[in-house]
Amino acid sequence: MTDAGSKDARLADARSTGPKTTGPKTTGPKTTRPQGPAARSGTPRARRITDTIPLSTKLAACTLILLLIGAAAISLTIRELVGNYMLEKTDAQLVNQAQLVYDNVDVLRSKDGDGASPGPSDYFMQIRDMDDAIVVTPLVPTLPNGVVSQPLLPANRSMAGVRIGRPFTTPAVVKTASGSNPDRSTVQVAHAPWRVLVVRLVQKVDGDTTENRGLVYIGLSLSDQIDTINTLTRYCAMVGLAIVLLGGAMATLLIQHTLTPLKRIEKTAAKIAAGDLSQRVPSAPENTEVGSLAASLNAMLARIEGSFHEQQQTTEKMKRFVSDASHELRTPLATIHGYSELYTMQRDMPGALERADESIAHIEASSSRMTVLVEDLLSLARLDEGRGIDITQQVAVRPLIADAADDLHALDPERTIRRGAVLLDESGRNSTPRLRFREGPMPDIELNGDGSRLRQVITNIVGNIHRYTPGDSPVEVALGMVPASIGPESLARMPSTERSMHRFLEAAEVGRSMQVGMNYAVIRFIDHGPGVPVASQAQIFERFYTADPSRARQKGGTGLGMSIAQSVVKAHRGFICASSSHGGGLTLTVILPVGPLEPVGVARQQTKVSTKGDRRGRKSRRS
């Protein structure tokens, strides 16, 4: 043997396993995928089965599977890492102690023969010559009950692919003494594989000259390492199983708690499906998925409920409209038919010519009334379809109102008609805003619209005042410009109620203070007649509405004038409503968009620029 330094240098790179034997590859019979309808329907059938499983069960099962995979991966990773680490430690022990074991082989043989406790005598050693022929096996560990375990080495005079200085793993060869009965644990230890290292037996001749004398096989049993790895694997499996069970229980509880809002949504949806459209999903923080879903569902349900009620109202209005139209048309038709029969019966009697003139006069009056009714119905139908109106004209509003006031004065000469401007009340800043009348000249306002249709709106309002108020009751007619922070589309969608009027006034107060929004032309007709009950003020814009329950038409009219006025105003993206007048009577307010409101800063800047331009022009002209 050489000195310890040169021996350690030769053993420093011993880190590999023994030779691997490979056998011929065997190929089994080729498997073919099933063809036909069964194969094609397999995946959809599996999907149908999985679709029937509740979501909570799917989530819990996925969580358990992930925990199982994680626990198994961690256990296998720990087993592999610890096994590699212990194998490297065994290789390092073989490399570092090979020289020491060889130098003390006699001492180790005496300990092994005496049956000493496990320790250095656990080493196996075999010495071969340069031809790889077995010379001697000085160390062979002996287990209790005479069980001998040694590594399976290459045959005599054969290396069998074993490389010098590279550790390798080989199975054990177990020999049991006759008559012995070893226990199970001893048998398991005996059958554990061995880790073997082959080193050169170098002897120093003289000076720096060395001579190879043979090969030394040194081995250690891997039973302790295998036992440690198996014990660690069992503990990892137990801990992993406990984590899987505990994690599965916690995941199930958490999933059930998380899906509770979805179950409430399901119950709410079932009640809505049963017909209760007033149900709403319980709210939750909107930064969560369930809260966002609940908010979206509630908004959708509100729109569905509103659309359903609108459809019901539309259906009821259509039924009432058909009934009222039939009633209104039946009266003149019955009159025409009756007077025609009367004329036929009395034409051969004395004085038939005078009675014929009277019958023809009644027939003419009834046909004229029916013509007006049909024309109004046709006008409403065209307005509902968006036809028969052109809002691209430039219309001056003040002349229309002035002509209507003159017409009302011509119809009722004894009526007092005051003209003035509409102003947003600035006195009550802490109270609800309101519009007030100030007598004086009306402002000049122009807007885009249909002049003939707007004149029809004002004429219908004046006609109602003439028919349903005393001829000597006063009337105020006013026009004004009011800014409001509300869009024309939103304004046109508001119902013709006093609450909508309050919303517009609130928007007008915001628009006046912030100088943002749109300018609106506000037209008001204030009468002081008998008025209309508050509960019926929104109904005057319904078709064929009349305050007379008997539907008597002594005062004229078809009950469609205010419906036509509302349709025309909404076609102009405006708003009309009725409210009670201060001191009794009825006030009709028409609001029409004029144009965007310019900010005060921009208007002042434009004024300054124009003033500077005028000054520069004057200076240049003077020069």
Side-chain angles (χ1 to χ4, degrees):
M1 295 291 287
T2 184
D3 54 351
S6 60
K7 187 63 179 179
D8 292 340
R10 291 188 181 94
L11 301 179
D13 59 342
R15 292 292 185 271
S16 68
T17 60
K20 296 181 180 178
T21 58
T22 57
K25 295 183 179 180
T26 58
T27 58
K30 294 184 178 179
T31 59
T32 58
R33 295 183 179 178
Q35 303 293 332
R40 291 193 296 269
S41 62
T43 302
R45 182 179 180 183
R47 289 182 180 177
R48 287 195 298 269
I49 293 174
T50 55
D51 289 342
T52 58
I53 301 175
L55 178 60
S56 58
T57 304
K58 290 181 181 179
L59 293 175
C62 291
T63 304
L64 285 175
I65 292 173
L66 291 176
L67 289 174
L68 282 172
I69 294 174
I74 292 173
S75 300
L76 294 176
T77 302
I78 293 176
R79 178 186 176 92
E80 187 69 19
L81 290 175
V82 173
N84 293 335
Y85 174 76
M86 296 187 72
L87 190 62
E88 290 179 359
K89 295 289 288 184
T90 302
D91 293 344
Q93 183 179 352
L94 288 173
V95 172
N96 295 330
Q97 297 185 3
Q99 183 69 36
L100 179 63
V101 173
Y102 180 80
D103 293 341
N104 297 277
V105 63
D106 296 333
V107 178
L108 294 175
R109 287 181 64 184
S110 62
K111 286 187 176 182
D112 190 52
D114 295 339
S117 61
S121 61
D122 290 341
Y123 284 95
F124 169 86
M125 178 178 288
Q126 187 180 84
I127 300 174
R128 299 189 181 190
D129 59 12
M130 294 303 299
D131 295 331
D132 207 51
I134 300 175
V135 176
V136 65
T137 306
L139 291 179
V140 178
T142 302
L143 299 176
N145 297 321
V147 178
V148 177
S149 175
Q150 62 184 26
L152 178 62
L153 299 179
N156 192 19
R157 298 183 181 278
S158 174
M159 289 289 290
V162 175
R163 299 176 62 182
I164 298 174
R166 295 295 180 93
F168 63 93
T169 303
T170 182
V173 177
V174 181
K175 297 178 181 180
T176 305
S178 60
S180 65
N181 187 18
D183 57 1
R184 183 177 180 183
S185 61
T186 303
V187 173
Q188 289 179 350
V189 171
H191 284 84
W194 286 76
R195 191 70 171 172
V196 181
L197 174 67
V198 182
V199 296
R200 294 183 185 274
L201 179 59
V202 180
Q203 186 176 5
K204 192 173 182 180
V205 179
D206 57 356
D208 296 334
T209 304
T210 58
E211 181 182 359
N212 294 328
R213 300 294 300 275
L215 300 175
V216 177
Y217 287 78
I218 301 175
L220 276 175
S221 177
L222 297 178
S223 59
D224 292 340
Q225 290 87 333
I226 294 175
D227 182 65
T228 302
I229 292 173
N230 290 335
T231 303
L232 181 63
T233 303
R234 285 195 298 271
Y235 280 125
C236 288
M238 293 173 60
V239 173
L241 182 60
I243 291 176
V244 168
L245 295 177
L246 182 61
M250 294 181 63
T252 302
L253 294 177
L254 182 61
I255 290 170
Q256 293 292 338
H257 177 72
T258 305
L259 295 181
T260 300
L262 292 180
K263 293 181 179 179
R264 290 200 294 264
I265 292 176
E266 180 185 0
K267 293 180 181 179
T268 304
K271 294 179 181 179
I272 294 172
D276 188 5
L277 296 179
S278 62
Q279 291 290 329
R280 293 294 180 269
V281 177
S283 59
E286 294 190 8
N287 59 338
T288 62
E289 291 79 1
V290 176
S292 178
L293 176 63
S296 301
L297 287 177
N298 286 334
M300 180 188 69
L301 292 174
R303 295 190 63 178
I304 291 175
E305 185 181 11
S307 300
F308 181 75
H309 289 324
E310 288 180 1
Q311 183 180 5
Q312 282 186 329
Q313 293 176 0
T314 302
T315 303
E316 293 176 357
K317 287 181 180 179
M318 184 60 65
K319 292 179 180 179
R320 187 165 59 250
F321 171 75
V322 172
S323 175
D324 293 341
S326 302
H327 177 82
E328 295 293 338
L329 289 173
R330 183 179 62 181
T331 302
L333 288 174
T335 302
I336 293 172
H337 182 70
Y339 278 102
S340 298
E341 289 185 349
L342 182 63
Y343 170 74
T344 303
M345 293 172 56
Q346 296 181 350
R347 62 182 177 179
D348 297 331
M349 300 177 62
L353 185 58
E354 291 78 4
R355 288 191 293 273
D357 293 338
E358 183 179 355
S359 298
I360 294 300
H362 284 287
I363 291 173
E364 183 179 3
S366 298
S367 63
S368 298
R369 180 182 173 187
M370 188 168 60
T371 300
V372 173
L373 180 61
V374 172
E375 288 179 353
D376 289 344
L377 290 174
L378 181 60
S379 179
L380 279 173
R382 289 177 176 175
L383 290 173
D384 291 341
E385 295 175 357
R387 299 186 296 112
I389 189 169
D390 181 16
I391 60 173
T392 61
Q393 306 170 10
Q394 196 70 17
V395 181
V397 182
R398 187 179 62 83
L400 297 179
I401 300 175
D403 293 344
D406 294 338
D407 294 341
L408 183 60
H409 181 70
L411 292 172
D412 300 323
E414 298 180 358
R415 189 187 300 272
T416 300
I417 302 175
R418 296 194 300 164
R419 307 181 186 186
V422 177
L423 301 176
L424 187 63
D425 192 2
E426 300 178 357
S427 59
R429 294 186 181 273
N430 296 326
S431 60
T432 304
R434 62 185 181 88
L435 298 175
R436 65 184 179 90
F437 171 79
R438 185 182 68 183
E439 189 172 2
M442 291 185 292
D444 292 326
I445 298 176
E446 292 187 356
L447 53 84
N448 291 329
D450 191 327
S452 60
R453 289 294 188 179
L454 292 178
R455 185 180 294 275
Q456 183 181 12
V457 171
I458 298 174
T459 300
N460 289 346
I461 295 175
V462 169
N464 278 359
I465 294 175
H466 167 67
R467 279 191 292 270
Y468 298 109
T469 61
D472 56 351
S473 61
V475 172
E476 289 88 24
V477 180
L479 172 65
M481 181 87 77
V482 176
S485 61
I486 187 173
E489 290 77 11
S490 300
L491 184 67
R493 286 196 298 266
M494 292 194 305
S496 300
T497 59
E498 195 168 358
R499 177 179 296 180
S500 300
M501 188 65 191
H502 285 310
R503 286 182 56 191
F504 173 78
L505 293 177
E506 291 174 356
E509 191 174 28
V510 174
R512 181 189 61 184
S513 60
M514 303 295 293
Q515 290 298 312
V516 293
M518 291 280 294
N519 280 323
Y520 291 94
V522 180
I523 306 170
R524 303 199 89 191
F525 289 88
I526 306 170
D527 68 62
H528 298 280
V532 176
V534 177
S536 302
Q537 288 175 358
Q539 299 178 2
I540 66 175
F541 300 102
E542 296 180 1
R543 299 174 184 183
F544 293 111
Y545 172 80
T546 177
D548 187 2
S550 64
R551 296 185 179 271
R553 296 298 180 188
Q554 290 86 358
K555 295 183 179 181
T558 60
L560 297 175
M562 299 311 297
S563 298
I564 294 174
Q566 185 188 45
S567 298
V568 172
V569 170
K570 286 188 176 295
H572 283 78
R573 299 186 303 167
F575 170 75
I576 183 173
C577 78
S579 57
S580 300
S581 302
H582 182 68
L586 186 68
T587 299
L588 287 170
T589 305
V590 178
I591 302 172
L592 299 171
V594 177
L597 178 65
E598 293 185 359
V600 177
V602 176
R604 290 179 180 176
Q605 186 176 2
Q606 292 177 353
T607 305
K608 290 181 180 179
V609 171
S610 61
T611 304
K612 290 180 180 179
D614 292 342
R615 292 176 180 176
R616 292 176 181 175
R618 291 175 184 176
K619 290 181 180 180
S620 61
R621 286 194 297 269
R622 289 177 183 176
S623 61

